[in-house]
Amino acid sequence: MTRSKKCVDRTDAAAQQARVRTLNDQLRRTGVGGRVVLTAGIAALSAEDLVKVLQAIAAFEAFDKDNDPWGERDCALLYVGDKQVFFKIDYYDLALSNLSPDPADPAVTIRIMTVMLAEEY
């Protein structure tokens, strides 16, 4: 019995989405697998507040259809104390000049997680 091309395409897409999600979670939780960029507002925080922000992002699990419509866990808006913080993960090619041709493949992708205060957006 063979599977239809449509079924295979959906299976491949789901596997790719799961791989992207795993890679994004790794960067968000550990800082491994990409680069983390802090905006001026985040960089100006005290060391203690910066640690709290990064820990809150690492622990964030409240992804839903509203803040994660593609199931990639690539961005969220959250409160850390009285600060509203936003993080976004983007996928670039190795030259950092274009989008990645395949965000599920770390061999051709550089992930960049930008962390900013909401008012800097």
Side-chain angles (χ1 to χ4, degrees):
M1 177 181 281
T2 62
R3 294 190 301 177
S4 70
K5 180 175 177 8
K6 194 175 201 179
C7 182
V8 171
D9 289 347
R10 268 187 268 161
T11 301
D12 291 346
Q16 182 172 9
Q17 179 187 48
R19 180 71 178 142
V20 168
R21 184 172 45 248
T22 296
L23 292 166
N24 287 346
D25 283 346
Q26 178 184 358
L27 176 59
R28 182 175 55 82
R29 291 176 181 154
T30 68
V32 173
R35 300 177 186 178
V36 178
V37 176
L38 308 177
T39 60
I42 294 291
L45 296 175
S46 69
E48 180 180 333
D49 284 345
L50 177 57
V51 167
K52 287 178 184 176
V53 165
L54 295 176
Q55 287 175 336
I57 290 170
F60 186 81
E61 292 293 332
F63 294 101
D64 58 34
K65 290 180 183 179
D66 290 331
N67 67 13
D68 189 29
W70 293 278
E72 295 181 353
R73 298 183 184 184
D74 62 340
C75 67
L77 186 63
L78 59 146
Y79 279 93
V80 181
D82 63 346
K83 294 167 183 50
Q84 195 172 23
V85 175
F86 178 72
F87 75 87
K88 174 72 174 108
I89 300 173
D90 293 296
Y91 322 116
Y92 293 96
D93 66 10
L94 298 181
L96 295 173
S97 59
N98 293 297
L99 296 177
S100 170
D102 182 2
D105 183 356
V108 299
T109 304
I110 296 178
R111 285 181 152 59
I112 298 183
M113 181 173 73
T114 304
V115 180
M116 67 183 76
L117 296 173
E119 67 245 25
E120 293 180 293
Y121 186 74

